[in-house]
Amino acid sequence: MVRSTSDGAPMGRRTLALWTILAAQLMLQMDFLIVIVALPQIQQDLGFDPLALSWVPNAFGLAFGGLLLLGGRLGDILGQVRAFRTGLIIFVLASLLGGLAQTPTILVAARVVQGIGAALAGPSVLALVMVLARNDAERAKGMSLFIAVSSVGASAGLILGGLLTQFLSWRWSLLINVPVGAVVIFMIGRLVTETRPRRSRLDVVGAITATLGSVALVYGFISAAESGWLDVTTLSAFALALALFVLFFRTEKKHAAPLLHLDLLRDRGRVGALGVMALIVGMHFSVVFLLVQYLQQVLGWTPLFSGLAYLPLTATVFIISHFVPRLMNVFGAQALLVTGSLLVATSLVGFALLGDRSDYFPAVLVPLLIHAAGIGLVFAPGTVAIMHGVPEEHAGTASGLLQMDQQIGGALGIAVITSIYAFGAVPGQFGSGLPAAFIGAAVIALFAAILAMRTVSRRLQAQNSTAGIHPAS
């Protein structure tokens, strides 16, 4: 049981502690996408191969998602404050290394270490928000602020990344974490008292096999684009991924304290919702990854305006998410998941029509708004479907599984769509590969709609779940 020793602290002190923790959450949420606006400059400065460029966001996402469950367990064992500070120290040092990187290898390695730090610090954020609350009202307020910060984090990353890249350097999209993180690290130990550590066994093999299996799978798709599907390296990567995932599930089945309780995967609706969520988040991140490069390389937009171009998406997702719980109670989760996935597929067909002379309005903005509506209709029902019926003792594991599903789904989505893009691309003409990439993404989104229709219960409604809901934009 987590024990708070901050009771009786002055309201101003608890408020400052809460916002300090939320500042870290905002920083971690921004980091997957903050570098995407800077990708053209990173490629030019460090000499990245176009396909290898996807490792800049993916290295972070894979390490973060793959080690998330282990990070949550370490928070229980070490104490939440200690895990939080240790993770942030790792994250900040890796940000400094990445900001100073002179080669692609160093930058990707730094992004991996950033993900490791985020995986250790991230799970402790919500735990510490709950520790600070003295009653249900403060707990609800803290949760609402946590959801709000998480909701705007990715879009804020795009805008801030564009601002820093345009007026300073792409390096500051990483270096900005150093002063912010240093302040949080300094203040957190003085504002929040440590929680009581709990003894537990560590499933290190499970964490390693899950992470390396995901990396091997992503590398397989990138290798397929570079060398072909029958290349020895490609086939070896996919074979290694399969072997690692088999070992992961065997480990989870036998381990006394597994990171993932396999009973959670016996529910057909939950597994289906995890699949839908991973597919749609993957297609969403692919849109962001390709579209920001299209805006800069084809339309000639600045990094700042490329980031601001996503504001309509954020606003639309935020507005629609407000009405989704009521829509779920009327139509059910399945209907919204199917409709949202079909809207995402429709938007991707619209993006496939982009050309060298397309204007932001209507060629980009209209599909972007349709895409936002689809994302808004998928994320909340997907969250409810995943968390529905989870026993209280497994709620933390299920929440970690949801976050892992999103991070790894996003990384895999970028890898898959980038590999499709490469087959249709003409060197030196960025827009040439977009039709194939976006049509491929539309087919995957259509499959997500079919998966939702076949697996998720029609009767599942928002009022039947207590899951926290926030958009993935």
Side-chain angles (χ1 to χ4, degrees):
M1 187 75 176
V2 174
R3 175 177 62 89
S4 169
T5 58
S6 59
D7 288 350
M11 175 63 74
R13 181 185 177 90
R14 291 201 314 277
T15 301
L16 180 59
L18 176 61
W19 282 107
T20 299
I21 295 166
L22 292 176
Q25 173 68 6
L26 180 62
M27 183 172 61
L28 296 177
Q29 287 293 314
M30 288 195 305
D31 218 70
F32 188 98
L33 295 180
I34 193 171
V35 297
I36 284 190
V37 178
L39 286 177
Q41 284 72 25
I42 293 174
Q43 182 180 11
Q44 182 178 3
D45 195 6
L46 298 186
F48 266 93
D49 179 88
L51 289 174
L53 196 63
S54 64
W55 282 110
V56 178
N58 281 354
F60 175 81
L62 288 169
F64 188 9
L67 297 173
L68 201 58
L69 294 176
L70 180 62
R73 186 65 53 80
L74 283 171
D76 291 335
I77 295 172
L78 300 175
Q80 300 295 346
V81 174
R82 185 177 300 171
F84 181 76
R85 293 184 71 185
T86 303
L88 279 187
I89 290 171
I90 295 171
F91 179 83
V92 166
L93 291 176
S95 297
L96 178 62
L97 176 64
L100 299 176
Q102 299 299 317
T103 67
T105 301
I106 295 298
L107 179 57
V108 171
R111 293 289 284 168
V112 170
V113 181
Q114 274 189 303
I116 294 171
L120 182 55
S124 295
V125 171
L126 187 55
L128 291 176
V129 169
M130 295 297 100
V131 161
L132 289 172
R134 297 181 303 174
N135 51 51
D136 289 343
E138 289 188 3
R139 189 172 295 108
K141 179 181 178 181
M143 178 66 75
S144 297
L145 290 172
F146 173 83
I147 290 172
V149 167
S150 300
S151 299
V152 303
S155 295
L158 289 168
I159 296 168
L160 180 60
L163 183 67
L164 293 171
T165 300
Q166 181 165 338
F167 293 109
L168 294 174
S169 163
W170 66 264
R171 297 181 182 279
W172 278 98
S173 61
L174 297 172
L175 293 175
I176 189 65
N177 295 327
V178 177
V180 175
V183 171
V184 173
I185 292 166
F186 175 79
M187 295 183 65
I188 194 66
R190 290 158 176 79
L191 294 172
V192 183
T193 306
E194 183 60 275
T195 60
R196 180 184 294 117
R198 295 187 300 180
R199 291 185 177 182
S200 180
R201 293 183 60 186
L202 278 180
D203 181 10
V204 177
V205 175
I208 292 174
T209 52
T211 305
L212 293 183
S214 301
V215 171
L217 188 59
V218 168
Y219 185 79
F221 283 108
I222 293 176
S223 176
E226 292 179 335
S227 307
W229 290 92
L230 298 180
D231 181 75
V232 174
T233 302
T234 302
L235 295 176
S236 298
F238 286 132
L240 179 61
L242 177 61
L244 287 168
F245 285 133
V246 169
L247 179 58
F248 169 74
F249 284 107
R250 287 175 61 89
T251 300
E252 300 312 280
K253 185 176 181 180
K254 297 180 179 180
H255 201 280
L259 292 179
L260 176 61
H261 294 275
L262 296 183
D263 287 345
L264 293 173
L265 301 181
R266 299 185 189 279
D267 185 286
R268 185 167 178 261
R270 182 174 300 116
V271 172
L274 285 166
V276 173
M277 185 76 80
L279 292 173
I280 295 300
V281 170
M283 297 311 97
H284 172 57
F285 281 11
S286 300
V287 166
V288 175
F289 178 77
L290 291 175
L291 197 57
V292 75
Q293 295 180 76
Y294 170 80
L295 292 172
Q296 292 184 55
Q297 296 189 31
V298 179
L299 299 189
W301 283 35
T302 64
L304 175 59
F305 280 102
S306 298
L308 292 173
Y310 290 95
L311 276 177
L313 181 145
T314 304
T316 303
V317 170
F318 184 81
I319 292 170
I320 289 179
S321 296
H322 178 73
F323 297 100
V324 164
R326 277 177 279 179
L327 292 173
M328 284 186 62
N329 288 330
V330 175
F331 299 105
Q334 186 199 73
L336 268 62
L337 284 170
V338 172
T339 302
S341 298
L342 291 175
L343 286 173
V344 170
T346 301
S347 74
L348 290 163
V349 172
F351 288 130
L353 301 177
L354 292 174
D356 292 346
R357 298 184 179 181
S358 299
D359 294 321
Y360 179 74
F361 177 80
V364 175
L365 181 58
V366 172
L368 192 66
L369 292 175
I370 296 172
H371 184 83
I375 292 295
L377 290 177
V378 164
F379 192 83
T383 301
V384 169
I386 291 167
M387 299 300 293
H388 175 71
V390 173
E392 185 176 351
E393 63 270 20
H394 295 329
T397 301
S399 179
L401 179 63
L402 169 62
Q403 296 179 63
M404 182 177 71
D405 185 63
Q406 295 170 22
Q407 292 290 333
I408 294 179
L412 286 171
I414 291 176
V416 171
I417 300 308
T418 300
S419 68
I420 297 175
Y421 167 87
F423 284 111
V426 176
Q429 299 179 25
F430 180 80
S432 60
L434 293 180
F438 284 127
I439 290 298
V443 171
I444 293 173
L446 183 61
F447 176 76
I450 296 172
L451 183 62
M453 192 180 302
R454 297 293 300 271
T455 59
V456 179
S457 171
R458 295 181 181 180
R459 296 184 294 274
L460 183 59
Q461 298 176 321
Q463 62 189 10
N464 294 328
S465 175
T466 58
I469 299 171
H470 59 85
S473 59

